[in-house]
Structures are given as C-alpha cells and as structure tokens.
Amino acid sequence: MVARHTFEEQLDSLHRKLLSMGSLVEEAIHKSIKSLVERNLQLADEVIKSDGVINSLEAEIESGCFQLIALQQPVGGDLRRLGTMLKLVTDLERMGDHAVAIAKTTRRLMNEQYVKPLIDIPLMADHVKAMVRDSLNAYIIRDTEAAAEIALRDDVVDKLFSTIFRDLIEVMSNKPQAINQGTHLLLVAQYLERIADHVTNICEWIVYMKTGQMTDLNK
Amino acid sequence: MVARHTFEEQLDSLHRKLLSMGSLVEEAIHKSIKSLVERNLQLADEVIKSDGVINSLEAEIESGCFQLIALQQPVGGDLRRLGTMLKLVTDLERMGDHAVAIAKTTRRLMNEQYVKPLIDIPLMADHVKAMVRDSLNAYIIRDTEAAAEIALRDDVVDKLFSTIFRDLIEVMSNKPQAINQGTHLLLVAQYLERIADHVTNICEWIVYMKTGQMTDLNK
C-alpha cells in the first residue's frame, strides 16, 4: 500500500488529466460547430487532428485508475471516485468522437451553399455546450443537485432536435437540391443530441460518486 | 479479504450476468430491425419495454464489480477482468439504447408505405448482429485474434452506411414524399453504425483484458 498523501497526489493527477480532457472536449464541440456555421475548413481539421490527444488522455486516465486501484486498494468514496473517472472518460471520449463527426460534416458540405442560414443547430449546440461545461463544474465541486438539474436540460435539447428534424424535412421537401445538406445537418443535430445524452450519464456518475447510489436521472 | 473460491464464484456470477446482458442486447437489435422491416408494432414495443432489464443489469454488474474490487482488492489479470466488465457494460447498454431508437422509428413510420423494400438496412444489420455475437463469443473465450478480426469488419459496416446514405439521398431527391421515411431510415443506419463502433470498443477491451495493452484496433 502507498502512503495516503501519495495516493491523494496520484488521484489529483488523474483528476487534473480528466479536467484537461473535459476542456479539450468542450473546445472540440465548440470548434466543430463554429467550423460548420462559418464553413471553416481549417477549424474542422483542427478538431479532427486533436482527437488523438483526447483518445490518449482516455487511455492514460484508465491506465492510471487501474494502477491506483491495484496499488492502493481503495474502498468506499475513494473507489467510487476512481470508478467514476473510469466511466466519465468513456463518455468524454465519445463526445470527442461526435465533435469529429460534426467537423467531417463541415468538410463534406464545403461545396454547397446553405439553403438557409444555420440558426437552430448553433442554438441547440449552445444548450449542449452549456450542459457539458456545467456538468464538468458539477463534477469538480461534487454538486449532486446541479448534476440532477443539468440532466433535466436534456429535455430542452430533445425538443430542439425534434424541431430541427421537422424543419429539415420541410426544407428538403420544398427544395430537393437541399437534400444532401439536409441529411448531413440532421446527423449533426443527432450528434449534438448524443452529446447531451453523454452529459446525462456524467451527471448520474457525479451522483453515484457522492452517494454510492446509481440513479436514472431522466430516462 | 475473501477466499479465492468465493472470489471466483462472485466473478463468475458477474460474468454470467454480463453474458445475459449481451444476449438481451443481441435480441433487442435483432427484434428492432425485424420490427422495422415487418412493420411489427408489437415487436417494437417489446424492444422498448425490455430496455429496463438491460439498464438494471448494467447497474447490478457495475455495483457488483465495485463491491468485488473493494472487498477482494484484486490485482493483475483479475483487476483487468473487472475493469473490462465495467467498460463492456457501458457499451452494451448504449447498444441497447440504439435498438430502442430503431424500434421507435418503427412506430414513427407505421403510417407510411415504404417507397422501396428495405434491403440494405437489414443487410447492414446482419453484419452488425454478427459482429455483436462474435465479439461476445471472443470475450467468453478471451480470443484476442478474433477480437482484432471482428474490429476490422467495422470497415464493411462503414461502407454499407455510405451506400445506404447515398441511396436514400437519391430516393428522396426523386420522391419528395419519401423524405420523412428517408430521414428516419438514415438515422436507423447511423444507429447500426454506432452499434458496430461499440463492438470495436468491446474488442479493444478483450485485448486489454488478456494483455494489459490498450490498443486502437481500427481508428
């Protein structure tokens, strides 16, 4: 067994890596939507290239958690913290993947004019980005009430997704030349919805970390 | 610490729950696609209702893994097995969610005739179902070579997704009345693609479980 202060140091180190990973994912989501709205190929490419760093952090944190569990044999709250980190990095990594998918859509739509300006997708993205940011803050301060509140915002995001879906169908029905971009933008909206789902998972794990209870925050 | 045979019994019990969960997820995917092709509302409802069991199993297995880690303080291969289970149940639960999403699409499209019979989507589903089944078998027998091979099949699935995407765009361009079903079927194809991605994750964890190495099998 390792001395308590060393355990705390190592746990802290993993914690900081997780927060770095969270920041990178927030940035990737932000840049991917910005690249889509502004038709910015360079920004899209940055998102795609940076995904490797996010994936490496996931592997490092997972490896670190397993090592710490093996060496320190934590129980109770300490074990829950490590278990929560193991779960959170999975959600964060998937969110990074969705940002990459959005950036790839930017690339695929470069040769087309948008039939109408993108309004609802960036709006949906703003809600989702706020959920991501707030969930990471709730994780840092272990705020279970905030976690529960953030998870409820998934409803707003789901409604925006439905609205965007309906609007895209209407646009495509009226303008067949918009079908290619319409379908791609529908997938973007779905990636955003998926990111919000992952935030809900993160919120459930924040509650677990503090209370030991696994709850279903809004299914 | 708990006697070795009791640890093995408890590990076995978790293992069997994970395999049950795997079977339920395979069944959910199968039924969800069947419900879509056959326009079978009852089957779709069964998938939606059964998701609760899948989610409960995830919670039980996670809880069991954390308890076993706390009580038994495993190291090495034993710890990797538990860590792998913790990761696998997340992927399986998400796959179950995607099956539910496909079943909900069945419900949403009940009032429309399919503009053309569904051929490529069930074909893509067959590939994905085989990947799911084979990955669970590879997990049982800890076959890392099989795991690597299964992960490579993700390429075939990605190509099928692209084909379906292009075909749906063409159909929708020619028949505006098909836009609603076309967009929904596109999302179904994406859910299938996501399920295949999760299988790739499972394969990477099978390799980790045996070797202690975290590999990127085909990103």
Side-chain angles (χ1 to χ4, degrees), chain A residues 25 29 91-99 132 195 198-199 202:
Chain A
V25 168
I29 296 166
D91 284 297
L92 287 175
E93 192 272 336
R94 299 299 288 179
M95 285 154 71
D97 282 351
H98 296 326
V132 176
I195 291 170
H198 284 291
V199 171
I202 288 174

Side-chain angles (χ1 to χ4, degrees), chain B residues 85-127:
Chain B
M85 280 190 211
L86 277 173
K87 287 290 183 168
L88 253 59
V89 294
T90 310
D91 285 296
L92 287 175
E93 192 271 336
R94 299 300 286 181
M95 286 154 70
D97 282 351
H98 296 327
V100 166
I102 292 170
K104 286 181 174 173
T105 304
T106 298
R107 294 175 58 89
R108 288 199 186 102
L109 295 182
M110 279 306 287
N111 295 331
E112 296 185 37
Q113 290 275 21
Y114 287 144
V115 159
K116 21 182 283 192
L118 303 190
I119 307 283
D120 283 335
I121 282 178
L123 179 67
M124 185 183 179
D126 285 341
H127 278 276

Side-chain angles (χ1 to χ4, degrees), chain B residues 115 152 193 211:
Chain B
V115 159
L152 289 177
E193 198 217 10
T211 68

Side-chain angles (χ1 to χ4, degrees), chain A residues 133-189:
Chain A
R133 187 185 60 239
D134 294 346
S135 67
L136 291 168
N137 286 336
Y139 166 75
I140 293 169
I141 63 174
R142 306 196 205 186
D143 188 343
T144 53
E145 280 178 24
E149 183 274 322
I150 294 157
L152 290 177
R153 296 188 222 160
D154 198 32
D155 265 2
V156 175
V157 170
D158 284 348
K159 286 191 175 78
L160 277 165
F161 175 68
S162 296
T163 301
I164 290 168
F165 200 152
R166 277 196 316 269
D167 287 352
L168 285 171
I169 286 179
E170 194 176 322
V171 168
M172 291 189 285
S173 301
N174 293 330
K175 299 189 195 216
Q177 67 272 26
I179 286 173
N180 186 56
Q181 63 188 249
T183 47
H184 279 95
L185 293 173
L186 176 63
L187 293 186
V188 166

Side-chain angles (χ1 to χ4, degrees), chain A residues 62 86-87 90 190 194, chain B residues 62 86-87 90 98 190:
Chain A
E62 280 166 352
L86 276 173
K87 288 290 185 171
T90 309
Q190 206 201 31
R194 291 273 113 192
Chain B
E62 280 165 352
L86 277 173
K87 287 290 183 168
T90 310
H98 296 327
Q190 205 201 31

Side-chain angles (χ1 to χ4, degrees), chain A residues 7 14 37 50 59-60 74 80 95 101 110 112 122 125 144 152 157 160 169 176 187 193 202 207:
Chain A
F7 174 71
L14 288 172
V37 173
S50 309
E60 279 178 49
R80 291 202 303 270
M95 285 154 71
M110 281 303 289
E112 295 187 37
T144 53
L152 290 177
V157 170
L160 277 165
I169 286 179
L187 293 186
E193 199 217 10
I202 288 174
V207 173

